[in-house]
Amino acid sequence: MGTLHRKPIAASRGFFAPRGALFALLAGLLAALLVYLLFQLIAVSASDATLDKRAPKQNDQPLSDNSDEVEKQCLNQGNNQNNPLNTEESQEGCFDNNRFCFELTPSVNNADVWQLALIGKTNLPVAVTLYSKQLYLKQAGNGKKGERKSHISTFLSSNSTVSLGYIDDADAFWKTMRVRWTVGTINAQHDSNFAYMSPLQPASEYSIVQGFNGAFSHSGASRYAIDFAAPVGTPVLAARAGTVIDTKADGNKGGPTPDYASHANYVVVLHSDGTTGEYYHLRHKGVAVERGQYVQQGQLLGYSGNTGFSSLPHLHFGIYVAKYHGRYISVPFSFKDIAIN
């Protein structure tokens, strides 16, 4: 742009001096600044409202600014349902593609009371926490109600049935219950001597863009995690042998905000020590294995992508231990073919 008002400007009516033009320019700039700040305020308010809507209502980890931790927390919030799949005559409510079900049966001693059981439908381990105001543990004498419990946690290692207690209002139970779960063995002890294979091969061709305790997002429950830079479609291999315990492949969105977290595609592999190896941000329809399948170290799991809470194509990899209340922790590990930090 040239120099403004190099000579006096005559107006069609009156006189428009250079000083007047300068004042008008400053006023215009100030107005533009106020409009920009107003839009920023609206955007922040909208973002806060979105996070509030995503915030857990009961017994959940708060959302973090840590993008990887938020990613996993938001996925776990997907494992938080209060509408079972089937609550008609069978009085059974099932979750996570029939991974487990809650079943109500009339009590033998009191027709107004229901016995509550948790039934595992697979041989894959899962830590389950149920929240309900209608739950109490035991029936007291003379048909009286026993101690109330706001929640109860149970670990299922097989397709077994576990008695949880009693319910005095079946309709209220189904309408208000809340369930959270994490796949894997509860409080597993990680084999720290095991040397993992890099999930991207050859390992020397894929850079680690964020390692343990990464300042950008690797803190808290995901402090021990790795981000590999990888073009979309890069083959992702099993870093350790195990059983595929969970997958997601239908996500087709990705972006730099928590709103995208639930769209992440992934594969979770259960290891012999009960920990899980978790591979995130796979491309749409980029999973090559299925739940229950055993995989060898180095076997193809899927293809990298940019789905979920992700600002650029990469693979997020970590080793996790399941906890109750839908929680988890990451644990340190090492690769045999690449240095982490």
Side-chain angles (χ1 to χ4, degrees):
M1 296 178 60
T3 304
L4 292 176
H5 311 315
R6 295 185 63 181
K7 59 182 179 179
I9 299 176
S12 59
R13 295 183 61 181
F15 183 76
F16 187 53
R19 178 175 297 179
L22 179 61
F23 287 161
L25 175 63
L26 292 176
L29 291 175
L30 180 60
L33 178 60
L34 290 175
V35 171
Y36 171 78
L37 292 176
L38 178 60
F39 273 105
Q40 290 298 312
L41 179 61
I42 293 173
V44 170
S45 300
S47 174
D48 289 344
T50 300
L51 289 177
D52 287 342
K53 290 178 181 178
R54 296 185 65 86
K57 296 181 180 179
Q58 183 178 13
N59 292 289
D60 191 15
Q61 298 182 110
L63 287 177
S64 164
D65 289 334
N66 173 344
S67 63
D68 288 311
E69 189 171 343
V70 167
E71 177 88 62
K72 194 160 168 54
Q73 285 175 1
C74 288
L75 288 172
N76 285 342
Q77 285 177 18
N79 295 349
N80 181 358
Q81 301 180 16
N82 55 8
N83 293 311
L85 300 181
N86 178 11
T87 58
E88 297 178 354
E89 295 181 359
S90 66
Q91 290 293 288
E92 183 180 78
C94 297
F95 295 81
D96 196 16
N97 296 319
N98 282 329
R99 187 184 294 274
F100 59 88
C101 302
F102 292 96
E103 182 181 63
L104 290 182
T105 56
S107 172
V108 176
N109 300 324
N110 189 339
D112 296 327
V113 174
W114 299 79
Q115 291 180 308
L116 174 65
L118 177 62
I119 304 174
K121 297 291 188 177
T122 73
N123 288 320
L124 305 176
V126 58
V128 180
T129 301
L130 165 69
Y131 309 91
S132 175
K133 295 181 179 180
Q134 280 70 44
L135 174 66
Y136 57 97
L137 293 185
K138 297 180 180 180
Q139 286 183 289
N142 300 322
K144 296 182 179 179
K145 298 177 182 178
E147 177 188 1
R148 288 281 186 184
K149 293 290 291 185
S150 61
H151 71 272
I152 188 168
S153 296
T154 306
F155 174 66
L156 291 173
S157 60
S158 63
N159 51 353
S160 57
T161 299
V162 179
S163 177
L164 299 181
Y166 297 87
I167 299 295
D168 55 4
D169 188 334
D171 290 339
F173 171 74
W174 292 124
K175 290 177 181 178
T176 62
M177 67 179 296
R178 184 172 292 276
V179 185
R180 292 188 56 79
W181 66 92
T182 304
V183 296
T185 301
I186 192 74
N187 297 325
Q189 296 298 311
H190 179 236
D191 179 4
S192 59
N193 294 320
F194 186 86
Y196 291 80
M197 184 189 83
S198 173
L200 303 181
Q201 294 292 327
S204 60
E205 295 186 5
Y206 298 94
S207 301
I208 293 177
V209 294
Q210 187 175 200
F212 294 168
N213 299 301
F216 179 70
S217 63
H218 288 175
S219 61
S222 286
R223 63 181 298 187
Y224 299 114
I226 301 295
D227 287 341
F228 293 92
V232 173
T234 301
V236 176
L237 311 179
R240 181 177 178 179
T243 301
V244 177
I245 195 172
D246 205 4
T247 67
K248 182 179 183 300
D250 60 355
N252 59 5
K253 296 180 181 179
T257 64
D259 297 337
Y260 291 94
S262 62
H263 299 284
N265 297 319
Y266 57 85
V267 171
V268 179
V269 177
L270 176 70
H271 303 142
S272 59
D273 59 9
T275 62
T276 55
E278 308 195 8
Y279 309 74
Y280 282 89
H281 309 299
L282 305 184
R283 74 181 185 188
H284 180 239
K285 302 299 182 182
V287 173
V289 292
E290 58 185 20
R291 193 165 80 176
Q293 178 181 344
Y294 186 83
V295 294
Q296 299 288 348
Q297 185 180 54
Q299 185 171 336
L300 178 68
L301 300 178
Y303 300 90
S304 67
N306 192 28
T307 58
F309 191 174
S310 176
S311 57
L312 53 83
H314 75 286
L315 174 70
H316 174 89
F317 174 74
I319 307 300
Y320 294 91
V321 173
K323 299 290 184 181
Y324 288 124
H325 300 284
R327 297 177 180 174
Y328 58 89
I329 59 169
S330 59
V331 294
F333 61 94
S334 61
F335 291 120
K336 61 183 178 182
D337 48 4
I338 188 173
I340 292 178
N341 289 323

